[in-house]
Amino acid sequence: MAASARDVPQATGEQGAFRDKLVAEGLLVPSRVPGVTGQGPVFVDLRQRLDARISKLVADEGAIAMEFPPVEPRHDMESVDYLSSFPQLAGSVFAFLGDEAEALELGEQAHAHQDWSGHLQSAGLVMVPAACHPVYPALARQPVPADGITIDTGAAWVFRHEPSDDPCRLVAFHMRELVRAGSPESVGAWRDTWRDRALAFLQSLGLPAAFDEANDPFFGRTGKVLARSQRAQKLKFEVLVPVGGDNPTAVASFNAHSDHFASVFGLVSEAGPVHTACLGFGIERCVLALLFTHGTDVGGWPSDVLAELSL
Ligand code: ATP
Ligand code: ZN
């Protein structure tokens, strides 16, 4: 059955009260679609300060900055089998390629808020679902250096179709990722180091952050098997912080991909086989965790947290 508005998870209790407070105080600006949420000036300022603080945190990594648009070639998403694992999250771009008569019909239907999707055709593009995705084909353009390479995507807009009333579960949000490519041993060590550094960093912001093993929301019955195998191999870790829901919320994730992306895109190195891993900060979730933990009166936050964020 197709998803409908009735399927949208509702924020109740403490989580709902938190969401309502953020909206009432102008931190968040809701739209008519759940999860498509604007941000007021205080929220934007916090997001930018957090991003700048992350830049300081990663400064000694020697990461290479690379930015990509929020859309990517459909072919790349197909190649990594995203549509087999997460068809429910993917967003696809369709465009109008018809003639004048069809344009007239499209315009009339759209004006009446009827379904005009039948007039569209694939534009060959999809919405980027994770900031690291465009990095792998880019890395394949030249050999990976023998001692590995780290890319910093900056805070990139990403899209996942998981509409929800939960202020932490957005349809479009900023994800900042560090992507590491190199030898299997060095990539494994890199991920463990960054897991500890990221946890300590989030705790230094006064957040009651804890770390746990995790799995991705793979689709369907086969997905359950994939999720179990991902956990058994300890391929995914998350840093979790309570943000009002029944369970703590993942504000940062660490993924080991083994040679998945390397083999799909043909990453090579003179040093031997290439593995990849990524560390992703959910920037909005980090800001929401700060607001939930320290309150919406930012001036009243602990002085060390204010100092960390240059406030
Ligand atoms: P979750 O299990 O909560 O759905 P995930 O494991 O799918 O998250 P990742 O794919 O690892 O998340 O994404 C990296 C980070 O992006 C997460 O740690 C989280 O902070 C953030 N994130 C993921 N999904 C959302 C969302 N719908 N809204 C806001 N932030 C998100
Ligand atoms: Zn990633």
Side-chain angles (χ1 to χ4, degrees):
M1 201 180 78
S4 72
R6 280 198 308 279
D7 300 317
V8 171
Q10 296 297 302
T12 53
E14 201 178 16
Q15 189 181 58
F18 180 51
R19 196 265 332 273
D20 292 348
K21 188 171 164 66
L22 295 170
V23 171
E25 295 182 9
L27 283 137
L28 294 183
V29 186
S31 75
R32 60 167 58 240
V33 176
V36 179
T37 307
Q39 302 168 0
V42 174
F43 198 103
V44 170
D45 185 50
L46 289 173
R47 213 192 67 224
Q48 291 174 344
R49 285 174 191 279
L50 181 75
D51 199 38
R53 182 62 189 82
I54 293 175
S55 295
K56 238 160 85 183
L57 173 75
V58 306
D60 64 1
E61 174 71 29
I64 293 165
M66 275 185 153
E67 290 193 13
F68 297 91
V71 290
E72 64 175 349
R74 186 182 79 183
H75 192 276
D76 289 346
M77 181 180 265
E78 292 165 355
S79 299
V80 298
D81 282 335
Y82 189 86
L83 293 151
S84 304
S85 296
F86 311 108
Q88 79 283 19
L89 300 181
S92 183
V93 181
F94 283 70
F96 177 71
L97 305 175
D99 59 16
E100 246 176 272
E102 212 184 330
L104 199 64
E105 218 178 302
L106 163 70
E108 280 168 5
Q109 285 173 345
H111 184 73
H113 301 297
Q114 292 165 355
D115 180 9
W116 43 276
S117 57
H119 296 293
L120 305 182
Q121 292 174 47
S122 171
L125 296 169
V126 290
M127 305 302 292
V128 172
C132 65
H133 275 210
V135 172
Y136 308 107
L139 279 177
R141 296 176 62 82
Q142 56 216 1
V144 171
D147 55 351
I149 189 169
T150 308
I151 305 298
D152 178 355
T153 67
W157 276 107
V158 298
F159 174 95
R160 293 183 182 184
H161 190 250
E162 45 181 357
S164 167
D165 204 25
D166 171 357
C168 286
R169 194 161 291 283
L170 299 162
V171 166
F173 55 97
H174 291 90
M175 195 186 286
R176 179 159 184 180
E177 293 210 56
L178 289 183
V179 184
R180 179 76 185 166
S183 70
E185 308 74 44
S186 72
V187 167
W190 178 89
R191 191 187 68 147
D192 291 349
T193 302
W194 270 103
R195 188 189 60 202
D196 297 344
R197 286 190 73 180
L199 178 62
F201 164 63
L202 291 161
Q203 287 170 341
S204 79
L205 298 177
L207 297 175
F211 134 86
D212 203 0
E213 289 165 15
N215 61 263
D216 283 311
F218 294 105
F219 185 76
R221 256 177 303 157
T222 334
K224 291 209 171 67
V225 180
L226 291 173
R228 270 202 298 275
S229 143
Q230 191 183 29
R231 272 184 183 266
Q233 295 180 68
K234 299 191 192 310
L235 294 179
K236 186 178 181 87
F237 298 101
E238 290 176 340
V239 175
L240 303 156
V241 180
V243 195
D246 293 340
N247 299 306
T249 298
V251 298
S253 308
F254 311 81
N255 297 291
H257 315 122
S258 188
D259 67 348
H260 175 60
F261 290 112
S263 66
V264 165
F265 292 109
L267 270 59
V268 292
S269 167
E270 61 180 32
V274 177
H275 278 197
T276 62
C278 66
L279 148 59
F281 289 98
I283 302 291
E284 279 79 1
R285 284 192 184 177
C286 290
V287 172
L288 290 163
L290 285 165
L291 289 163
F292 185 78
T293 306
H294 303 307
T296 55
D297 172 17
V298 177
W301 286 9
S303 53
D304 55 331
V305 177
L306 292 176
E308 283 290 340
L309 295 171
S310 306
L311 277 159

